[in-house]
Amino acid sequence: MTTTNLDSFFKDDESQWLDALPNYQKDVVSELLAFNSNDYDKAALSWLEASVDNTSPFSGEPKKDKKYFESLKNEVYKLLCGNPDYSADRDELTQLVKSEGSKSSVIAFISGIIGAKLGLAAAFVSPAIVILFMMITKTSLNAWCAMK
């Protein structure tokens, strides 16, 4: 599969991705973006490192180091940019986008897949995934995949 099947999903204004989050997460992510001058990497890193000690021990695979953001970006890249390990998940994601098109459903689906892969709760990774999607929307999925 090429990214063109999903690229059109990243055509809206990037701030619309925030609406995929519950209000309590949306407010915190908005504050992190403002505090970090809309630097998406710094905002996502701030989210993931702010409460790692409270989240990670309850996961299936606690990680000792704090490389959550790089791991998260790598897994999202593999999912969206064509890695064969995620081909079945990508096909299911494409069908979800075609049938429902809801950003909230897409974030929940991807957060579940990536969270399970990294041993982290989906609710913990979803704000960072939203921030990544905001970054992708600023360019395009094809451009983001090419830059990685």
Side-chain angles (χ1 to χ4, degrees):
M1 182 193 116
T2 63
T3 60
T4 55
N5 292 339
L6 294 172
D7 197 47
S8 62
F9 199 61
F10 293 94
K11 297 293 184 196
D12 295 331
D13 178 56
E14 74 269 8
S15 64
Q16 291 183 0
W17 283 105
L18 288 171
D19 294 332
L21 295 172
N23 285 335
Y24 72 95
Q25 288 180 330
K26 178 181 177 178
D27 294 342
V28 173
V29 168
S30 295
E31 288 177 23
L32 288 172
L33 286 166
F35 180 77
N36 289 293
S37 303
N38 284 328
D39 183 320
Y40 297 114
D41 282 350
K42 285 182 183 178
L45 191 60
S46 295
W47 172 269
L48 291 170
E49 290 185 353
S51 59
V52 137
D53 294 333
N54 297 329
T55 305
S56 174
F58 299 106
S59 69
E61 295 179 32
K63 302 235 183 227
K64 302 278 187 246
D65 56 3
K66 287 189 171 188
K67 295 185 180 177
Y68 293 108
F69 186 52
E70 284 307 312
S71 297
L72 182 73
K73 281 198 310 190
N74 287 335
E75 295 304 318
V76 169
Y77 172 82
K78 288 195 274 186
L79 174 64
L80 297 180
C81 300
N83 187 294
D85 293 346
Y86 283 103
S87 65
D89 294 320
R90 201 169 27 261
D91 290 344
E92 194 172 338
L93 175 61
T94 301
Q95 290 306 313
L96 179 64
V97 167
K98 285 180 183 175
S99 67
E100 192 170 322
S102 161
K103 288 181 175 25
S104 296
S105 297
V106 168
I107 293 298
F109 177 79
I110 292 175
S111 297
I113 292 168
I114 305 289
K117 182 80 169 180
L118 297 176
L120 297 169
F124 176 66
V125 299
S126 60
I129 290 173
V130 163
I131 294 169
L132 278 175
F133 281 16
M134 291 173 75
M135 184 182 343
I136 292 169
T137 301
K138 272 287 228 202
T139 57
S140 73
L141 180 58
N142 289 328
W144 187 76
C145 289
M147 289 187 321
K148 186 87 170 96

